[in-house]
Amino acid sequence: MVYGLGNAFKSLNTYYQEKTTRIRNSLSPSRPSMSETTAEGSSSSSRASTTIPSTPNMDSTPTVEDPTQNGNNGMSRDEFRQYGKETVDYIVDYLENIQKRRVVPAIEPGYLKDLIPSEAPNAPESFESVMEDFEKLIMPGITHWQHPRFHAYFPAGNSFPSIIADMLSDAIGCVGFSWAACPAMTELELIMLDWFGKMIGLPAEFLPLTENGKGGGVIQSSASECNFVTLLAARFEIMKELRQRFPFVEEGLLLSKLIAYCSKEAHSSVEKACMIGMVKLRILETDSKFRLRGETLRNAIQEDRNLGLIPFFVSTTLGTTSCCSFDVLSEIGPICKENELWLHVDAAYSGSAFICPEFRPLMNGIEYAMSFNTNPNKWLLINFDCSTMWVRDRFKLTQALVVDPLYLQHSWMDKSIDYRHWGIPLSRRFRSLKLWFVIRMYGIDGLQKYIREHVRLAKKMETLLRADAKFEIVNEVIMGLVCFRMKGDDELNQTLLTRLNASGRIHMVPASLGDRFVIRFCVCAENATDKDIEVAYEIISQATQHVLHDSVKAAIAEEDEEAVALEEMVADLNISETPEKVLARQNSANAETGQRLERQLSKEEILAQKQHESLAKKRSFLVRMVSDPKCYNPKIVRHLNMANHRKMSQDLYRDRTLMQTISHSQRPNRLSQSPGSAGSAFFDDDDDRVVADVQTGLQTPI
């Protein structure tokens, strides 16, 4: 019996020793290389980077078998420990050495189609092979937004605290559509919106934790969603009033009378919101600093009321996408209040800068607003997606979006907020977690320093460009964006941007300001330095020299070939042929010569030449798409070609008039024409009209 009891104690002691070893290994796991196996990794040195608090009564918890150990469920817990650490190392190495990569990829659409199998694999593949293909196939197609010479669009917020918060959010894997679905998600979101609202100086009426207040905030996915849901709320409010005033009028007729307003520099998401919301939109002109002014809005409202339309919504912008201009809220706000219009303020980029007191005067007039949004995922080191939005009256927002089936109700609805009533999607991610991590780990002082450094670097680039006689600055540099152009025509500036992006050393995008093609330079990298700005200026300056040199050579060549060579050819031949015929015959002769030369080339040389041309075309596609977007974006076509619109319209009218004149000369009696004949349907002899050279500003409802 004693012998048996001794064996029992010995077995129990062995069990606890093995369990203690497993716990110690889990708290101090090894970090083998990505090519080593799990077994090899478990025998490596046990090195912990952080201390994980142990769970109470961990030793008394029975061992739970890992259901993924059979190898058919993707990844086991032990493998996740190993590969997770290796992935973190990969991320750190990537960001540390990102400057060694091209900023933009040298690929064309569909490049992955021939590299990835057309069918999904039946058998599981190893993590090593997946990561190998990630580096070999995916990375060559990545535009590196965190690159120190990425100066396009706006910053894409990124920081290690935000990445860690997203990892934890993904691990929790909850869907917080209501308070009951995940109480901590709703509670933290309320507190973060109260924190952040106070940081940027919003009036207390907007803050969610103001005592007896009707305001509130929510984190949406993007500024586009903020613009859309606020327009829906404004539309619901005005339609509710119109239904009471005109109970016997069809809602469709009432809806067709609604009209919203924004400036010419407002984001395209406003136009899309009105298109989906089935309301008219009037796009208003801006002043010399690309700002919407109060008098412009007042005149537009009066004109539309005289036409029988019903103004209801105004979208203003603090920090426009094209040039970071600021609409004058102090003038627009009183007009909106006087006319009972919903005033929305979109500060997607610049709103984060209001944590610095010196920029808050740009918000003067915010007290008239009904809603406000800004994107921490742009300029506050938060990874996408995280767009914060506040409303003065949360009930006006939720009544436009509430749908309340029984299966989503819970017993705490009278004491809590359910964010499913604040936006379009039902499902929501734990976005407030990364806002909490970043604000705590940087502090307000650290975030202010980051914003001010970007502004200083933008001012430095402005100074360098102003000192160079080849450039001009187009916008007022207030934040981290500089809009510049070469002193020349649009074609020259477009050539410059194409050359810059084609180099792969820098990346920028264009904008249209005052019907002129400009290049946007935005400070984006978190740790951007003076050296980065100086290197960027040197790249721009060198490319400009090449463009100017090439343009001079092209002009001389064009004159020589078309004006001199052709005339000499005709004189030498001493024939009566026109220059056009001579040129056509010369081109034909050149083609025959080219064919003879091609026949002399070997098959290998011809294939190499074609492969080189194909590769050059592939590499230039993305550059051409970004640098010359008018070829791909009809909206940009409208803006860039507005200067030529009047001339084209007059040419069209001239051609039609000429055709009509010829027709009349053949048939003198104009009354003999049928009403539907060509020409008479559009113009008559006394009609001297031409097509309008500007937009009407009215978008018809769908």
Side-chain angles (χ1 to χ4, degrees):
M1 181 176 179
V2 175
Y3 177 77
L5 187 61
N7 285 339
F9 277 115
K10 184 177 180 180
S11 300
L12 187 62
N13 186 39
T14 302
Y15 167 78
Y16 277 111
Q17 284 181 351
E18 293 176 352
K19 186 168 184 62
T20 303
T21 301
R22 286 198 301 270
I23 294 173
R24 185 167 58 249
N25 289 338
S26 68
L27 295 178
S28 300
S30 58
R31 187 178 56 80
S33 63
M34 202 169 284
S35 61
E36 293 175 348
T37 62
T38 305
E40 292 173 342
S42 62
S43 62
S44 303
S45 61
S46 58
R47 177 172 58 86
S49 57
T50 56
T51 302
I52 305 175
S54 59
T55 306
N57 300 325
M58 182 179 291
D59 290 343
S60 61
T61 305
T63 303
V64 179
E65 184 180 354
D66 185 356
T68 64
Q69 288 288 3
N70 55 17
N72 295 324
N73 292 300
M75 190 179 291
S76 68
R77 285 196 288 260
D78 289 339
E79 288 173 331
F80 180 69
R81 291 182 190 278
Q82 173 190 344
Y83 297 140
K85 295 177 180 64
E86 293 176 2
T87 303
V88 169
D89 285 340
Y90 179 89
I91 292 171
V92 175
D93 292 339
Y94 162 72
L95 294 174
E96 187 176 5
N97 301 293
I98 193 172
Q99 70 278 1
K100 298 178 182 178
R101 299 177 184 262
R102 283 180 58 102
V103 186
V104 292
I107 47 88
E108 67 174 359
Y111 85 101
L112 270 180
K113 185 173 61 177
D114 298 328
L115 301 177
I116 292 181
S118 58
E119 301 291 339
N122 291 321
E125 299 182 16
S126 67
F127 178 78
E128 289 84 0
S129 65
V130 174
M131 282 301 297
E132 182 180 352
D133 285 344
F134 173 80
E135 181 63 39
K136 184 172 64 176
L137 305 179
I138 304 302
M139 273 299 179
I142 296 293
T143 298
H144 301 286
W145 284 61
Q146 308 307 321
H147 199 288
R149 284 186 294 281
F150 179 93
H151 300 290
Y153 312 111
F154 283 124
N158 192 18
S159 64
F160 292 133
S162 179
I163 294 172
I164 291 175
D166 255 347
M167 291 169 63
L168 294 173
S169 173
D170 292 340
I172 294 170
C174 59
V175 181
F177 48 80
S178 68
W179 184 92
C182 186
M185 183 186 295
T186 300
E187 299 281 342
L188 186 61
E189 189 160 334
L190 282 168
I191 296 171
M192 287 304 99
L193 287 159
D194 197 67
W195 273 19
F196 192 33
K198 291 174 181 175
M199 287 167 59
I200 63 178
L202 279 180
E205 302 93 287
F206 286 91
L207 303 180
L209 299 183
T210 300
E211 188 175 359
N212 299 323
K214 294 192 297 183
V218 60
I219 301 179
Q220 308 282 20
S221 63
S222 66
S224 300
E225 189 175 352
C226 295
N227 287 327
F228 183 46
V229 297
T230 52
L231 181 125
L232 292 181
R235 190 188 71 173
F236 185 91
E237 190 71 14
I238 189 68
M239 288 296 292
K240 182 174 65 174
E241 179 183 343
L242 291 174
R243 281 193 295 266
Q244 294 174 353
R245 292 174 56 189
F246 308 103
F248 303 108
V249 179
E250 272 191 36
E251 287 193 12
L253 181 59
L254 296 175
L255 188 64
S256 69
K257 299 293 184 181
L258 300 184
I259 184 167
Y261 303 90
C262 71
S263 84
K264 185 179 179 180
E265 303 303 328
H267 194 266
S268 60
S269 61
V270 180
E271 185 176 353
K272 179 180 285 189
C274 292
M275 182 174 62
I276 300 173
M278 302 180 68
V279 297
K280 295 180 176 66
L281 173 67
R282 182 164 181 176
I283 301 174
L284 304 177
E285 290 293 331
T286 56
D287 64 7
S288 59
K289 294 183 178 180
F290 311 105
R291 304 175 300 175
L292 178 61
R293 305 299 297 268
E295 191 62 27
T296 304
L297 177 63
R298 185 190 299 277
N299 294 337
I301 291 173
Q302 188 58 49
E303 290 173 5
D304 292 334
R305 289 196 189 279
N306 294 339
L307 293 173
L309 298 175
I310 305 173
F312 78 106
F313 181 80
V314 178
S315 180
T316 57
T317 311
L318 297 181
T320 58
T321 302
S322 58
C323 62
C324 199
S325 58
F326 292 78
D327 294 340
V328 187
L329 292 185
S330 57
E331 296 178 1
I332 298 170
I335 295 172
C336 291
K337 183 178 181 181
E338 174 187 339
N339 291 274
E340 298 182 347
L341 308 183
W342 184 296
L343 174 60
H344 176 65
V345 179
D346 180 4
Y349 166 62
S350 66
S352 298
F354 298 149
I355 65 174
C356 302
E358 62 267 29
F359 295 123
R360 288 182 192 165
L362 295 167
M363 294 176 67
N364 288 344
I366 190 65
E367 62 273 11
Y368 295 100
M370 287 295 294
S371 52
F372 174 90
N373 75 271
T374 185
N375 286 11
N377 61 244
K378 279 189 172 67
W379 209 11
L380 208 69
L381 300 172
I382 309 290
N383 293 74
F384 184 84
D385 56 346
C386 183
S387 184
T388 50
M389 185 185 89
W390 294 263
V391 288
R392 182 180 295 275
D393 189 339
R394 61 180 180 270
F395 302 106
K396 290 183 178 180
L397 174 65
T398 56
Q399 69 180 353
L401 301 169
V402 62
V403 177
D404 204 20
L406 181 62
Y407 54 80
L408 295 178
Q409 298 177 17
H410 56 89
S411 58
W412 298 99
M413 293 175 60
D414 57 333
K415 296 182 179 180
S416 64
I417 283 180
D418 285 353
Y419 276 123
R420 59 192 170 93
H421 302 314
W422 291 61
I424 303 302
L426 172 66
S427 304
R428 309 183 73 254
R429 300 196 311 111
F430 203 165
R431 302 187 187 100
S432 58
L433 196 63
K434 52 191 174 185
L435 197 58
W436 188 47
F437 268 56
V438 170
I439 293 176
R440 290 188 62 187
M441 298 191 72
Y442 280 88
I444 297 177
D445 292 341
L447 295 173
Q448 288 175 340
K449 181 180 178 182
Y450 159 73
I451 295 286
R452 288 167 178 153
E453 179 65 6
H454 273 204
V455 174
R456 185 189 70 81
L457 293 174
K459 289 288 187 181
K460 180 181 179 70
M461 174 57 80
E462 178 191 16
T463 302
L464 292 171
L465 291 170
R466 285 192 186 278
D468 194 328
K470 298 187 294 294
F471 301 105
E472 59 177 320
I473 302 297
V474 184
N475 71 324
E476 183 181 8
V477 181
I478 301 175
M479 299 293 182
L481 179 67
V482 183
C483 294
F484 71 97
R485 56 181 274 124
M486 290 176 60
K487 293 179 180 178
D489 57 20
D490 287 352
E491 185 177 353
L492 203 63
N493 281 276
Q494 183 179 311
T495 302
L496 171 62
L497 182 59
T498 302
R499 184 183 290 269
L500 287 167
N501 287 335
S503 69
R505 300 171 61 197
I506 194 170
H507 186 42
M508 292 178 290
V509 292
S512 177
L513 292 177
D515 298 329
R516 295 196 300 168
F517 186 96
V518 301
I519 302 173
R520 297 171 70 262
F521 178 93
C522 187
V523 182
C524 295
E526 175 187 355
N527 299 310
T529 63
D530 289 84
K531 182 179 179 181
D532 293 325
I533 301 301
E534 292 164 2
V535 169
Y537 170 73
E538 287 299 325
I539 295 173
I540 294 170
S541 181
Q542 291 172 11
T544 303
Q545 295 287 358
H546 287 296
V547 169
L548 291 174
H549 180 69
D550 292 346
S551 65
V552 172
K553 287 179 60 179
I556 295 174
E558 181 180 358
E559 182 181 358
D560 288 344
E561 292 174 6
E562 295 185 2
V564 180
L566 194 59
E567 293 178 2
E568 292 178 354
M569 195 184 308
V570 175
D572 293 340
L573 292 173
N574 193 20
I575 57 178
S576 59
E577 285 185 334
T578 62
E580 289 78 7
K581 292 182 179 180
V582 176
L583 183 61
R585 189 170 67 246
Q586 183 66 24
N587 289 338
S588 176
N590 291 339
E592 293 177 1
T593 304
Q595 291 176 0
R596 288 196 300 271
L597 291 174
E598 186 174 356
R599 283 194 294 269
Q600 295 173 3
L601 294 175
S602 66
K603 181 178 180 181
E604 291 76 10
E605 290 173 336
I606 294 174
L607 290 175
Q609 182 179 356
K610 290 183 177 180
Q611 184 179 5
H612 177 73
E613 292 174 356
S614 177
L615 182 61
K617 182 179 179 181
K618 289 181 180 180
R619 287 181 173 175
S620 66
F621 183 87
L622 181 65
V623 171
R624 288 183 288 114
M625 183 176 65
V626 174
S627 306
D628 187 14
K630 69 178 187 294
C631 300
Y632 308 90
N633 191 331
K635 184 177 178 64
I636 299 178
V637 172
R638 186 176 66 222
H639 286 287
L640 293 182
N641 291 342
M642 192 61 69
N644 300 325
H645 183 66
R646 181 178 180 84
K647 183 178 183 302
M648 293 170 60
S649 302
Q650 291 175 338
D651 291 344
L652 178 64
Y653 171 68
R654 181 196 61 205
D655 295 342
R656 286 180 176 176
T657 305
L658 183 60
M659 292 175 61
Q660 184 179 357
T661 303
I662 295 173
S663 176
H664 287 173
S665 65
Q666 296 173 351
R667 291 180 296 178
N669 186 2
R670 181 165 61 89
L671 297 179
S672 65
Q673 280 188 309
S674 63
S677 62
S680 63
F682 300 99
F683 302 100
D684 56 31
D685 289 340
D686 300 327
D687 195 350
D688 60 350
R689 293 173 296 177
V690 296
V691 181
D693 62 333
V694 295
Q695 300 180 77
T696 62
L698 294 179
Q699 175 183 316
T700 56
I702 301 175

